[in-house]
C-alpha cells in the first residue's frame, strides 16, 4: 500500500516504538504511586513533558498532557470561557477550523456564548481587516489554526495573537498540523498539539499554556497534571509522545526539505488539468489538496484501494458530507466532490509518490472517458 494520508495520521516512528516498548511490556507502575517504580514512571513522564515543551519552541508556559488534541481544544475553549472576566462572552473563530474547535464553539453557543465564525478568502486565508472589525471588549477568546488539516493553508498566527491581545482577549491556536512539521508561531496563549500527527502514538495530545492563562479544569478527580487535568497518566503514551517530539525537533528541517521535493514531484507526476485548492504561497507543502473538473473523488478512492488518500479530513470523509473547508473557499458541491487530498511526509519515497500520482491521473482520465 502507498500511504498518502499524513494529515489523518502518520506511521509510528521506529525510534518511538523502541522508546515505548519497556513501558508497554514491563514498566507498568502507576506514575502517581509513591513506590520506586512509580517514581521512575513519573520521572519518565517529566522527561517527555520537557521534550514536548522544547519541540514547541514556545517560552513562558508549560505543557499538560491530554487524551487527544480534541480534548486539549475542548479544555482550552470551555475552561477559558469559564474563567473569562465578566462581560467577555464572545468567541471569534474561522469557518475553516477543525470540528474540534467549531463543534465545541457551537456547544458553547448553545450555553449562551456569542459566537462569530469568520469567512475566509478564496485562497483560504483570513482577512485581518475583517478580524479587526470584529474584535471588541466583549471578546474572550480568538481561535485560529496554524496549518489547515484539509488544505494545508497557513494563517498569520502571530499577527492574530497580537490583535487578540490588544483587544484584551486570549488566543487559542490549533497547531496539530503544524507541530513538528514547521516552526510554531509565537504569540498564542494556548496551543493544542497531538502525538499521532508526528509519528507518535494515538490517544495522547497536549495543551501548551502560557503561565497565568491556564483554563479551568475540564476533568476533575485525582488532581494529576499539576491539578489541572485529572486522570492517571499513561507513561507509555507520554514517553512515545516525548520521543516523537524530540525526533521531530531534530529532523524538522530535513523532513521539510524532503516534503518540498515530494510536492514538486507530485505536481509534476499528476500532470495538467488539476487545480490546487487553497493558497500555494501560504501553505504546508505536505498537503496537496487538488481538484479536477468532473472527477468523482469517492469513486477514485474506491478504484485505487492500494493507495491510501482521502477526500478531506478523516471526519468529513466518514460522514459523506461535503467538506466545510472547501465550501468556505467558495467551491460548489461538484467542485468539492471532485477534490482529493494527498498527504505525504518523512517516510514517503519519491518513487512511490510519483507512481501513485501517475495512477491517480490515469484513473481520472479513464473516469472522464467513461462518463463522456
Ligand atoms: N485539529 C486538527 C487540525 C486536526 O487535524 C486534528 C486531527 O485530525 C485534531 C485537531 C484532533 O486531533 P486528535 O486526533 O488528537 O484528537
Amino acid at each position: 500500500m502507498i500511504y498518502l494520508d499524513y494529515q489523518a495520521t502518520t506511521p509510528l516512528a521506529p525510534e518511538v516504538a523502541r522508546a515505548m516498548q519497556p513501558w508497554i511490556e514491563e514498566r507498568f507502575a502507576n506514575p502517581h504511586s509513591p513506590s520506586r517504580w512509580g517514581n521512575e514512571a513519573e520521572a519518565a513522564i517529566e522527561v517527555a513533558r520537557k521534550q514536548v515543551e522544547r519541540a514547541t519552541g514556545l517560552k513562558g508556559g508549560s505543557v499538560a498532557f491530554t487524551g487527544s488534541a480534541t480534548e486539549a481544544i475542548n479544555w482550552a475553549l470551555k475552561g477559558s470561557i469559564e474563567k473569562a472576566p465578566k462581560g467577555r462572552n464572545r468567541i471569534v473563530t474561522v469557518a475553516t477550523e477543525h470540528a474540534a474547535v467549531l463543534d465545541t464553539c457551537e456547544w458553547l453557543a448553545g450555553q449562551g456564548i456569542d459566537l462569530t465564525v469568520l469567512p475566509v478568502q478564496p485562497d483560504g486565508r483570513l482577512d485581518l481587516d475583517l478580524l479587526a472589525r470584529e474584535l471588541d471588549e466583549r471578546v474572550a477568546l480568538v481561535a485560529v489554526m496554524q496549518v489547515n488539516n484539509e488544505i494545508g493553508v497557513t494563517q498569520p498566527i502571530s499577527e492574530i495573537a497580537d490583535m487578540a491581545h490588544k483587544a484584551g482577549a486570549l488566543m487559542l491556536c490549533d497547531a496539530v498540523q503544524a507541530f513538528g512539521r514547521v516552526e510554531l508561531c509565537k504569540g498564542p496563549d494556548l496551543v493544542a498539539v497531538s502525538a499521532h500527527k508526528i509519528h507518535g502514538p494515538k490517544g495522547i495530545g497536549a495543551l501548551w499554556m502560557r503561565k497565568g492563562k491556564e483554563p479551568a479544569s475540564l476533568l476533575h478527580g485525582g488532581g494529576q497534571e499539576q491539578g489541572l487535568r485529572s486522570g492517571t497518566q499513561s507513561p507509555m503514551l507520554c514517553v512515545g509522545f516525548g520521543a516523537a517530539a524530540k525526533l521531530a525537533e531534530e529532523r524538522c528541517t530535513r523532513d521539510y526539505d524532503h516534503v518540498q521535493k515530494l510536492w514538486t514531484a507530485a505536481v509534476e507526476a499528476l500532470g495538467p488539468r488539476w487545480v490546487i485548492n487553497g493558497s500555494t504561497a501560504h501553505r504546508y507543502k505536505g498537503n496537496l489538496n487538488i481538484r479536477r473538473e468532473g472527477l468523482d473523488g469517492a469513486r477514485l478512492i474506491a478504484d485505487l484501494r492500494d493507495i491510501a488518500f482521502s477526500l478531506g479530513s478523516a471526519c468529513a470523509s466518514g460522514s459523506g458530507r461535503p467538506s466545510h473547508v472547501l465550501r468556505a473557499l467558495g467551491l460548489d458541491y461538484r467542485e468539492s466532490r471532485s477534490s482529493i487530498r494527498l498527504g505525504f511526509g518523512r517516510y514517503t519515497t519519491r518513487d512511490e509518490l510519483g507512481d501513485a500520482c501517475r495512477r491517480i491521473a490515469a484513473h481520472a482520465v479513464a473516469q472522464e472517458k467513461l462518463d463522456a
Side-chain angles (χ1 to χ4, degrees), residues 137-207:
E137 69 294 341
R138 292 175 304 132
V139 179
L141 187 134
V142 177
V144 184
M145 59 170 38
Q146 184 170 335
V147 174
N148 187 277
N149 52 306
E150 288 198 41
I151 52 174
V153 169
T154 55
Q155 302 291 355
I157 295 300
S158 297
E159 283 166 80
I160 295 169
D162 259 6
M163 291 166 73
H165 291 154
K166 284 195 181 109
L170 293 178
M171 159 87 191
L172 162 66
C173 178
D174 171 351
V176 168
Q177 297 287 343
F179 181 54
R181 295 176 175 172
V182 292
E183 195 179 326
L184 292 195
C185 296
K186 314 285 183 285
D189 305 289
L190 300 159
V191 180
V193 295
S194 184
H196 72 100
K197 310 288 183 178
I198 61 160
H199 308 284
K202 291 169 190 59
I204 182 160
L207 184 65

